[in-house]
Amino acid sequence: MPGARDNRVTSTRSPGTAPRRGRPPRASREQIVDAAVALLREAPDEPLTMARVANAVGLSPMALYRHFTDRDELMDEVVGRILMERNAAIPREGPWQDQLRAWVLGGLDHLVPCAQVVQVVLGGGSSSWVHDAATLVRILEQAGYADDELAEMQVWIALSVGGYVMAESSRRQGPNAPEVYAALAHLDPDDAERLAVLLPRIDRAFDQMHERFADRLIQTVEAAAPS
């Protein structure tokens, strides 16, 4: 009607423009590393991909690249976080044997559940191991090691623990007892009988192997210490 007031609200949005849905979700660098560490511990056999980490924090994979150049940089942060937690629990006082035992057992507790960290370190994909190495060197210096002997013992212990972690991680996914006993049928009868008697003892030995591994390693360090 001419002269009547039009009470309809006129939209100022351009045709075809979608309504705003608010800001996209965000996550801090620390939250992303937290999520990556949690994924490693929850599913140690699953590759830690940028897509999985992004999904865990509610982001798109491309959004992670605002915080990390690539997956290698993220993994370096993950390695550093896990080794930092491990070293924080190692005493700085008391006999070096107690400190080394804590270093070894702490490493097994933190690394066996996420052995991908060891793969990254041994493969040269992270430099965050230097903090872990510095702690070990400090302990070995208290045991009397220096110079070449210190370097050799540090490398030997690091490789021994790294190898143990990888073996223990694989063993937890290995064949079960029925499969092992069934495999005895393929051995020479004398060897099969010998091993069948020993298998229950082997199972019991594995139950206490972390502590015994640490003890044997300390004994080796003591025996080889410079006089």
Side-chain angles (χ1 to χ4, degrees):
M1 179 181 297
R5 183 178 179 180
D6 187 353
N7 293 320
R8 291 175 298 176
V9 177
T10 302
S11 173
T12 59
R13 185 184 304 124
S14 301
T17 302
R20 294 184 63 183
R21 300 179 182 275
R23 294 182 177 180
R26 294 184 178 181
S28 68
R29 186 181 178 96
E30 183 176 1
Q31 289 172 325
I32 294 170
V33 175
D34 287 343
V37 171
L39 286 174
L40 270 182
R41 289 172 173 161
E42 292 167 5
D45 302 330
E46 291 288 329
L48 188 65
T49 64
M50 297 294 269
R52 290 183 62 220
V53 177
N55 183 65
V57 293
L59 298 176
S60 68
M62 290 303 298
L64 292 191
Y65 292 96
R66 299 173 187 169
H67 299 276
F68 300 94
T69 303
D70 51 27
R71 179 183 177 276
D72 289 343
E73 184 181 355
L74 173 58
M75 284 301 301
D76 189 54
E77 288 282 332
V78 170
V79 171
R81 170 70 62 79
I82 292 173
L83 294 181
M84 179 183 67
E85 292 176 357
R86 171 258 190 89
N87 282 297
I90 299 172
R92 297 181 67 93
E93 305 294 336
W96 68 263
Q97 291 90 338
D98 293 345
Q99 296 180 47
L100 182 55
R101 183 180 178 86
W103 188 91
V104 174
L105 293 179
L108 301 183
D109 290 342
H110 281 84
L111 298 176
V112 168
C114 46
Q116 289 183 54
V117 167
V118 177
Q119 291 177 321
V120 171
V121 172
L122 294 180
S126 173
S127 59
S128 292
W129 59 267
V130 294
H131 301 290
D132 204 49
T135 301
L136 177 57
V137 167
R138 186 189 72 237
I139 295 171
L140 293 175
E141 286 177 341
Q142 297 176 51
Y145 285 86
D147 303 324
D148 289 345
E149 292 176 323
L150 173 60
E152 291 174 4
M153 184 55 71
Q154 190 275 334
V155 170
W156 179 78
I157 292 175
L159 290 178
S160 297
V161 173
Y164 184 96
V165 167
M166 298 305 299
E168 179 66 4
S169 176
S170 298
R171 183 183 72 84
R172 294 185 177 190
Q173 311 161 30
N176 55 31
E179 292 174 339
V180 173
Y181 279 101
L184 296 180
H186 301 286
L187 296 180
D188 175 87
D190 290 340
D191 288 341
E193 182 179 358
R194 184 178 297 110
L195 189 56
V197 173
L198 192 60
L199 282 177
R201 296 178 182 271
I202 292 176
D203 288 338
R204 290 195 297 271
F206 271 120
D207 291 339
Q208 304 171 11
M209 190 49 62
H210 281 19
E211 291 76 11
R212 291 183 178 177
F213 173 76
D215 289 340
R216 297 287 173 82
L217 189 147
I218 291 170
Q219 291 170 8
T220 301
V221 173
E222 287 178 326
S227 55

